[in-house]
């Protein structure tokens, strides 16, 4: 009865309609901000007659400017600001969420506002906001301010403060897709010295791995990664290598075999391991909502597990919305299962959990004495505790 089809993908909606919604009004407020990530102005526009702002982490290849469409991350926090007071709303829900905004002053020109003033109009400005989520419960926090700094302090008390980054990460990073091999890395590194350009970090994308099997190195292009890393370390430089959460389905790949044997993959609605298509081809998706899965993933960053790694190798988590090339909207089916929970209930949390597990791995490998550096593309409220987010 409740099935919905997106191209060739059918969402079974086994629990029927589960959406929730709540309206909020801000008397005396004309300006609202927040609810990233959107390619739009800082001040949020009213959505009357158009689409609402959408919060649903997606791998978007080409996005439109000044558009409420969803992008890579979602932080369901809105700030309402007036000369008298600043306040906020934190809508704690990781399902697909829509935000409608209306205002009784929208569309009025400066002349129109002056005319109202001259004529003695007494209408108080007001902004109304409607939050709609596909599933979950209404769990909302009102951040009473009254100053902007107070609102951010109150939000941080709920979700945590920004992780203090390692000093090197504030310097210049050299990154592109893709440096071809160790000789290429060595030549780029030497080029910066030759031209006397300071830099601290060089990045490697997916091509550094053996057949896009993460935690490995291509044996032909990067045969001696420790030598490469040591060459950078001798100049006090670092490297960041990509580790994505889609795992190549390959019985000769240790990471895949261990995840499957431990029953750590996300499941289909029928209880089988969920498989989608991504950079390696057919791939499984670890269920990072499981604490034991996150603990195992963290252990893979130890020097005896991540062969060729050294202390100056850090991590970039990409494609963690999660990206599924052959999935609806290039992401995971909503009726996939994380234990008892459907993916629809926690979609926007997936990237946060990937970064959480990766950060813990980098902390553990140093015995807890070194600050980690982990960049994530997908994010949610609280991701700031674990490192940096792609803007």
């Amino acid at each position: 009865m409740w099935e919905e089809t997106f191209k060739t993908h059918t969402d079974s909606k086994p629990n029927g309609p589960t959406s929730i919604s709540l309206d909020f009004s801000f008397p005396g407020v004309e300006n609202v901000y927040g609810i990233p990530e959107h390619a739009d102005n800082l001040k949020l526009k009213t959505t009357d007659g158009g689409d609402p702002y959408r919060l649903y982490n997606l791998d978007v290849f080409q996005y439109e400017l000044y558009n409420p469409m969803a992008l890579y991350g979602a932080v369901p926090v809105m700030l309402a600001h007036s000369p008298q007071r600043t306040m906020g709303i934190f809508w704690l829900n990781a399902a697909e969420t829509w935000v409608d905004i209306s205002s009784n002053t929208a569309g009025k020109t400066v002349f129109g506002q002056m005319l109202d003033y001259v004529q003695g109009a007494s209408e108080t400005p007001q902004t109304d906001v409607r939050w709609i989520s596909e599933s979950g419960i209404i769990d909302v926090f009102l951040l009473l301010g009254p100053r902007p700094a107070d609102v951010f302090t109150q939000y941080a008390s709920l979700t945590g403060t920004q992780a203090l980054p390692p000093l090197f990460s504030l310097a210049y990073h050299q990154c592109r897709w893709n440096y071809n091999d160790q000789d290429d890395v060595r030549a780029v590194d030497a080029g910066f010295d030759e031209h006397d350009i300071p830099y601290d970090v060089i990045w490697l994308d997916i091509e550094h791995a053996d057949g896009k099997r993460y935690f490995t190195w291509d044996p032909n292009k990067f045969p001696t990664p420790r030598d490469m890393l040591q060459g950078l370390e001798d100049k006090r430089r670092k490297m960041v290598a990509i580790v994505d959460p889609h795992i190549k389905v390959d019985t000769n790949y240790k990471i895949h075999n261990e995840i499957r044997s431990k029953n750590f993959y996300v499941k289909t609605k029928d209880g089988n391991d969920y498989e989608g298509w991504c950079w390696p081809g057919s791939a499984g998706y670890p269920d990072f909502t499981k604490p034991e899965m996150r603990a195992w993933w963290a252990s893979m960053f130890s020097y005896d597990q991540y062969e060729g790694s050294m202390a100056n190798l850090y991590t970039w988590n990409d494609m963690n919305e999660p990206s599924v090339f052959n999935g609806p909207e290039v992401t995971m089916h909503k009726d996939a299962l994380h234990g008892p929970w459907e993916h629809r209930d926690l979609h926007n949390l997936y990237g946060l959990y990937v970064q959480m597990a990766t950060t813990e791995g980098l902390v553990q490998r140093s015995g807890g004495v070194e600050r980690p550096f982990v960049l994530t593309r997908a994010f949610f409220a609280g991701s700031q505790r674990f490192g940096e987010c792609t803007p």
Side-chain angles (χ1 to χ4, degrees), residues 20 79 82 92 97 117 140 160-161 174 179 188 192 204 226 230 267 272 296 337 341 348 356 379 388:
I20 56 170
L79 272 67
S82 72
L92 183 52
T97 295
Y117 177 77
V140 61
T161 56
Q174 178 64 23
Y179 295 115
V188 171
F192 275 85
L204 292 180
R226 283 182 177 272
Q230 187 60 55
K267 304 299 181 184
N272 301 312
W296 176 86
L337 295 174
W341 300 101
N348 288 340
M356 177 193 291
F379 53 86
E388 290 65 44

Side-chain angles (χ1 to χ4, degrees), residues 373-384:
F373 175 82
V374 179
L375 182 80
T376 180
R377 188 170 76 176
F379 53 86
F380 187 67
S383 290
Q384 70 273 7

Side-chain angles (χ1 to χ4, degrees), residues 17-61:
T18 57
S19 60
I20 56 170
S21 180
L22 197 61
D23 293 357
F24 299 85
S25 295
F26 295 107
V29 169
E30 293 185 75
N31 304 313
V32 290
Y33 309 87
I35 56 171
E37 178 180 32
H38 300 98
D40 206 347
N41 294 324
L42 178 63
K43 177 185 173 181
L44 298 173
K45 300 189 294 284
T46 59
T47 58
D48 296 330
D51 292 332
Y53 285 95
R54 188 185 187 199
L55 296 171
Y56 191 63
N57 294 356
L58 290 175
D59 178 359
V60 181
F61 173 61

Side-chain angles (χ1 to χ4, degrees), residues 67-344:
N67 191 298
M69 65 188 288
L71 291 177
Y72 308 109
V75 181
V77 175
M78 178 179 288
L79 272 67
H81 178 68
S82 72
Q84 291 75 36
R85 188 181 190 96
T86 302
M87 65 200 80
I89 293 176
F90 174 30
W91 177 268
L92 183 52
N93 191 304
E96 179 179 8
T97 295
W98 303 83
V99 184
D100 255 325
I101 302 170
S102 62
S103 170
N104 63 356
T105 61
K108 285 191 176 181
T109 64
V110 173
F111 177 77
Q113 292 174 348
M114 291 175 63
L115 185 63
D116 286 346
Y117 177 77
V118 171
Q119 294 177 342
S122 59
E123 183 179 26
T124 300
Q126 178 168 306
T127 297
D128 300 311
V129 180
R130 172 170 293 168
W131 297 76
I132 309 167
S133 290
E134 184 182 4
S135 65
I137 62 173
I138 293 177
D139 191 6
V140 61
F141 298 83
L142 302 181
L143 312 174
L144 299 180
R147 301 175 304 160
D150 297 324
V151 172
F152 286 111
T153 297
Q154 291 152 10
Y155 174 69
S157 73
L158 295 169
T159 65
T161 56
Q162 174 66 46
L164 191 63
L167 188 61
F168 78 81
S169 68
L170 305 180
Y172 178 72
H173 295 234
Q174 178 64 23
C175 177
R176 64 168 295 223
W177 180 78
N178 187 86
Y179 295 115
N180 297 319
D181 50 33
Q182 286 183 215
D183 290 339
D184 201 9
V185 171
R186 190 178 299 110
V188 171
D189 180 68
F192 275 85
D193 293 334
E194 178 184 353
H195 297 285
D196 199 25
I197 301 174
Y199 93 104
D200 278 53
V201 191
I202 189 166
W203 291 51
L204 292 180
D205 210 312
I206 56 177
E207 308 299 343
H208 82 277
D210 181 10
K212 301 178 180 64
R213 299 171 180 86
Y214 304 109
F215 299 100
T216 70
W217 303 85
D218 186 298
N220 298 313
K221 298 177 181 179
F222 294 89
T224 54
R226 283 182 177 272
D227 291 345
M228 174 182 63
L229 290 166
Q230 187 60 55
L232 295 172
E233 179 63 24
D234 291 343
K235 300 177 183 180
R236 300 178 64 187
R237 288 171 177 160
K238 320 294 181 185
M239 174 172 278
V240 173
I242 196 168
V243 177
D244 288 346
H246 49 259
I247 303 301
K248 184 178 179 66
V249 175
D250 178 358
T251 55
N252 294 317
Y253 180 23
K254 181 186 75 170
I255 299 295
H256 164 69
N257 289 338
E258 289 199 29
I259 294 174
R260 174 159 286 179
S261 68
K262 295 177 184 294
N263 201 30
F264 282 165
Y265 277 128
V266 174
K267 304 299 181 184
T268 67
K269 62 184 179 182
D270 300 316
N272 301 312
D273 287 348
Y274 179 92
E275 291 185 15
W277 199 260
C278 209
W279 297 128
S282 185
Y285 290 78
D287 187 354
F288 286 91
T289 67
K290 295 182 176 181
E292 56 271 29
M293 168 59 213
R294 297 197 300 271
W296 176 86
W297 181 267
S299 73
M300 292 297 101
F301 289 90
S302 64
Y303 300 123
D304 62 338
Q305 294 293 332
Y306 193 168
E307 294 183 14
S309 65
M310 291 177 54
N312 64 332
L313 179 66
Y314 295 87
T315 306
W316 163 28
N317 293 145
D318 197 26
M319 313 296 286
N320 55 340
E321 292 77 25
S323 179
V324 183
F325 292 164
N326 61 335
E329 295 191 273
V330 198
T331 194
M332 187 172 287
H333 294 68
K334 288 184 175 181
D335 54 7
L337 295 174
H338 303 258
W341 300 101
E342 284 192 288
H343 184 72
R344 82 180 73 249

